[in-house]
Amino acid sequence: MTVSTDPDAAAEAAASINGSRPRTGRGWLLVVAAIVVGALLGLGVGLLAPRLSTPGDDSVEAGFLRDMSTHHAQAVEMAMIAHAASDNPGVVTLAADIATTQQAQIGYMQAWLRGWKLSPTGSKPAMSWMPNSAGSLVNGLMPGMATPEQLTTLRKATGKDLDVQFLTLMRQHHLGGIHMAQEAIDLSGNEDVDWLAGTMVTAQQGEINLIDDLLKKIQSS
């Protein structure tokens, strides 16, 4: 999966998730605008960040950024589905936060790959940057990623069922992302990558706590 940091592509992806019911009004437009701005900010800051060395094509850093870009892209997709279709204010707010934060992080990661003169996608299998990673892939998917069937079911869901599906899938997605980011911190010698991976761990651990609270409230209602 190729992830684009082009602002027009980001806006189009955010506004046209297959099967989503479009959320109308100012709130929806603000989320789409925030995703585009986040991508641009990530791109700009990523290109300006100082580096003492340039990771190679087979490096841990390049592999992590490529895989996490793909991982994040699915989180943005699921978040936009929920933001468009949910009637729960807590779910809508969380979905917007996830979409904007992770799209901005995609901007950082893709900008760094370009700055290192590397392709945004690699020729090696997913997770090959991580030692003994074979067991991390399930049906070819990285840790925590939803299957195509789960995404199809999510797009068709409504009401409470949509909220529970989204939160459950995103919780698993975050756990997988945290695992990948922690491994990157342990293996990488690049300060920029360590910093970004650390922010991912902190943010997603906090969002898991919020997800757990939302799930309890929704399931008891």
Side-chain angles (χ1 to χ4, degrees):
M1 179 176 183
T2 301
V3 181
S4 174
T5 55
D6 179 78
D8 293 332
E12 181 180 353
S16 62
I17 298 298
N18 292 336
S20 297
R21 296 190 301 278
R23 180 176 294 277
T24 59
R26 186 167 178 267
W28 173 256
L29 293 176
L30 286 174
V31 172
V32 175
I35 288 178
V36 175
V37 171
L40 289 173
L41 287 175
L43 179 64
V45 176
L47 288 173
L48 292 174
R51 289 169 196 83
L52 299 178
S53 61
T54 301
D57 193 59
D58 295 333
S59 65
V60 166
E61 292 81 7
F64 170 69
L65 296 187
R66 287 164 175 158
D67 283 353
M68 191 57 84
S69 290
T70 300
H71 203 272
H72 270 23
Q74 188 185 76
V76 172
E77 179 181 3
M78 292 194 296
M80 294 307 293
I81 292 170
H83 187 274
S86 177
D87 295 320
N88 184 298
V91 171
V92 171
T93 299
L94 175 65
D97 289 345
I98 291 172
T100 53
T101 298
Q102 297 210 12
Q103 186 63 51
Q105 290 174 346
I106 289 173
Y108 276 103
M109 294 186 286
Q110 296 289 288
W112 289 345
L113 288 168
R114 289 191 178 95
W116 301 338
K117 301 187 185 304
L118 301 177
S119 169
T121 58
S123 58
K124 291 190 174 182
M127 303 296 294
S128 59
W129 55 274
M130 196 172 81
N132 304 315
S133 62
S136 298
L137 295 176
V138 179
N139 296 323
L141 295 173
M142 287 180 279
M145 289 189 72
T147 66
E149 294 76 17
Q150 287 173 322
L151 290 176
T152 297
T153 301
L154 179 65
R155 293 187 188 102
K156 295 177 180 177
T158 59
K160 180 177 178 179
D161 184 42
L162 165 76
D163 295 334
V164 171
Q165 283 191 45
F166 166 68
L167 293 172
T168 302
L169 289 174
M170 191 58 74
R171 189 183 195 284
Q172 188 65 26
H173 202 274
H174 274 9
L175 287 173
I178 289 171
H179 171 65
M180 292 170 63
Q182 288 174 331
E183 287 292 326
I185 294 170
D186 290 341
L187 297 171
S188 172
N190 182 285
E191 291 184 0
D192 293 336
V193 173
D194 289 346
W195 164 78
L196 185 59
T199 65
M200 292 175 184
V201 171
T202 300
Q204 292 184 35
Q205 285 176 335
E207 286 171 349
I208 285 175
N209 293 333
L210 180 56
I211 287 171
D212 288 342
D213 290 340
L214 285 169
L215 276 171
K216 288 179 183 177
K217 292 176 181 177
I218 292 170
Q219 290 172 332
S220 64
S221 64

